[in-house]
Amino acid sequence: MNVQEDRQVCWMQSRIREDEITKYMNNGRDFISDEEIEAKVADRKEPDPEQVRDILAKSLAVKDLTLDEVAVLINVNDKGLLEEMRETTLKVKLKVYDNRIVTFAPFYLGNYCVNRCAYCGFNNDNTTAQRNVLSEEQIRREVAVLAGEIGHKRLIVVYGEHPKNDVDYIVKSLETIYSVRVKTKHGHGSIRRVNVNAPPFCIDDLKKINEAGIGTYQVFQETYHKKTYARVHPADTIKGHYAWRLYCMHRAMEAGIDDVGIGALFGLYDWRFELMALVQHTQELERRLGVGAHTVSFPRLVPALNSVIGPDWPHLVSDDDFKKIMMIIRLAVPYTGMIITAREKAGIRNEAVMLGVTQMDASSRIAIGGYSDCVTEQKENKQQFILGDTRSLDHLIRDLAGMGFITSFCTAGYRCGRTGKCIMDLLRSGTEGKFCKLNAILTFQEWLDDFGAEETKRLAQPLIEREIAEVKQKNPKVLDIFTDYYERIKKGERDLYL
C-alpha cells in the first residue's frame, strides 16, 4: 500500500461514529424490519374497494397514511380503482402545491469516490472513468452558465465520498456558488438556493455544512433491503455500513438542518418493499424529530459504465409500476416535495407532472465541468449515468405551460424561515400555497423577461394572466403589494418576494 492509499484508508476509518448511530436505535435495532414490511405487503392482497376509497379520502384530507394503508394501495390492480387513485393523486397535489413545478439543475462537483457500489459509474474500481474535482475558478465558470445563461435559481450539488470532497471542500464550494453574480438583461443572475446531495457526515461536520447556508440536505439509502444493500455495497467500504447511512438524517436534524431529502434507487430490490421502507423512513423522522422528509426522490436504476447490474437484473421497474410508485408516494405523504430527475425520458416526466411530482431538473449536464464546456454529447466515462431527458429549461417550461403548470423559481420560503416544521405545517394546512402562488408568478415573470424565448413567452402569458386572475379572486388582501411587486419586476427590478 502506497502513502496515498494509506491516507485514504485512515480517512475512511475516521468517518463513521458508532455512537452517532446507536443513540437513535431501539435496543440496538434500527427502524426497518424486512420481515415486517414484506408481511404487510403480502397480507393485503385483493383489497376491498371501499377500503381503498376510504384511504384515498384520508389522503385528500392531507393526512399521512399508515404502512398498512400503503400496503393496501400497493396491492390495487383493478383498472377502475387505479384510475381513482390517479385522479386523487392529482387532486392532492393541486390542493397542497397548486399547479406549480419547481425547477433546478444538478451540479456535479467531483466524481472521485472511495466506495465500490455495484451499480454506479463513480465506482472506485472503475478505472475507465475520467476523474475530476472542480477548482474554485471552475465552479465560478459553471455557475456563470447556470445562473447567467440558462437562468437557474436552484441547484442540487453532488459530491462523491472522497478526501477531495471533504466537508471543508463542500463548505468552500457552497460559499463560491452563492458569491457568483452574472449580468443579465435586467440586473444580475445568481443561485438563490443550493441543495446538497452528499455522503453521510457526523454531526459536527453537518453543523459546518448547515452554517454554509444550504437548502435541503439529501442522502439516499439506495436500497432499504439489508441483504440487497450488502450485496451491492462491499462491507469494507464506508457505504457498506447500512446503519451509518440510515441514520444520517437523524444526525442532520440534530445538527440544525431543517430540510432533509430521502430517496431509494428503485430497481435494486422489489419496488414494493422499497416504497414501504421509504414511507417508514419519513414516518420515523417525524416521530423522533418532529418533522418528516422535506423531499422524497425515487430515481430508477439506469445503466452505468462498467456496472455489474445488467438488463437481466430481476428487480428492474416497469413504466406502469413506476407511475404507481409516484402515485402512492403522493398519497402516502401528501405534504412532501417529490423530485423526478432527467434520468427519466421526457414522456415519463410529462406524465409525472400529473402524478404528484413537484420538482424537475432541466438543461441538465452531469459530466464534471459540463455546463461551461458546452458539450451536450453524453459520455459514459465522464458521468454517473446516461440522462433520459435532455430538454433545455426553456423547452421544459414551454411544455409545462402547455399542460397548464406554472414554473416557479421561488426561494422565498428558505430565506424567510419557512423551513422544517414550519413549512410542513403550512403545507398541511394549505397556507403555504398562498405565498407560493404569488412568488411563483413573480419569479416566473422575472425568468421569462430575462431568459425566455419568444415562443415560450407567448405560450406562458395567458397562463400568467389566469394565475393573476386567481390571485384577485382568492387572495385579495395581498393584491396591492403583489401588483406593486409585479409591475416593478416587469420594469426590471429583481428578486422581489413575499
Side-chain angles (χ1 to χ4, degrees), residues 38 44 46 53 103 106 138 149 152 216 318 476 496:
E38 290 179 336
R44 269 83 184 171
E46 299 181 6
R53 293 186 180 106
T103 55
Q138 288 172 319
E149 296 180 21
H152 277 296
T216 303
S318 69
L496 301 175

Side-chain angles (χ1 to χ4, degrees), residues 69-89:
E69 291 167 334
V70 174
V72 170
L73 296 184
I74 283 173
N75 282 294
V76 172
N77 294 306
D78 177 82
K79 289 184 178 179
L81 284 176
L82 285 171
E83 183 57 32
E84 289 183 43
M85 283 175 59
R86 177 184 291 267
E87 291 171 358
T88 306
T89 296

